[in-house]
Amino acid sequence: MKKKILLCILALLLFSGAALAQRGLNCRPVFEGKVVPEKQMVVTEVRGGGMNTYKLDYYRGVRFQVDEKTALEVAALVRADAASAESAETEMVGDLLTYALIQPTPKGKTRRYLCYQARPAGPAWVITILYLEGRATLEDLRSMFEKQ
């Protein structure tokens, strides 16, 4: 019984850390499944030692397919984050944001990044958003993305 309680407490701690990670970002509702239902997203979350190679402590990615209206809604949230960020690179196709590499204000000494990509898939859009934390620089991220 004590093991079950301990496992529940550990699970709650892990999930609460994930919820706090995107604090202060306009696109946080996307990560929380409030814009696109979580069951329609592919969510990837990694933290810990395996990320050291990339100079990262935390990685959370969401990928989903949506109609143009929802794509514009998500893009508007990301654009709001870009507008208030320490630095941001963006690309637009018409009215839709298709690429962004955003560096929000750091949390102490920890750098934070928001990466966004939207690609057309017929009448729909496939959107990928990554939230990263760690000591990696923008140059480190660019180098990492070029290799993939």
Side-chain angles (χ1 to χ4, degrees), residues 22 25-32 74 77-78 81 114 129:
Q22 293 86 26
L25 295 179
N26 292 293
C27 67
R28 182 177 179 181
V30 176
F31 286 97
E32 294 174 339
V74 172
L77 295 172
V78 175
D81 284 327
L114 188 64
I129 305 177

Side-chain angles (χ1 to χ4, degrees), residues 16-99:
S16 66
L20 295 176
Q22 293 86 26
R23 186 182 339 180
L25 295 179
N26 292 293
C27 67
R28 182 177 179 181
V30 176
F31 286 97
E32 294 174 339
K34 294 180 179 174
V35 177
V36 175
E38 197 165 345
K39 66 183 180 202
Q40 293 178 328
M41 295 191 290
V42 175
V43 179
T44 306
E45 187 171 10
V46 182
R47 68 173 70 236
M51 301 297 294
N52 287 339
T53 304
Y54 305 105
K55 300 180 186 176
L56 295 171
D57 301 319
Y58 181 70
Y59 168 103
R60 180 162 180 151
V62 294
R63 184 170 186 253
F64 48 86
Q65 186 169 331
V66 292
D67 60 19
E68 186 173 356
K69 178 181 180 265
T70 307
L72 288 167
E73 181 182 348
V74 172
L77 295 172
V78 175
R79 287 175 66 186
D81 284 327
S84 64
E86 193 169 283
S87 71
E89 300 171 12
T90 61
E91 291 179 15
M92 304 280 293
V93 170
D95 292 335
L96 188 65
L97 179 70
T98 56
Y99 165 83

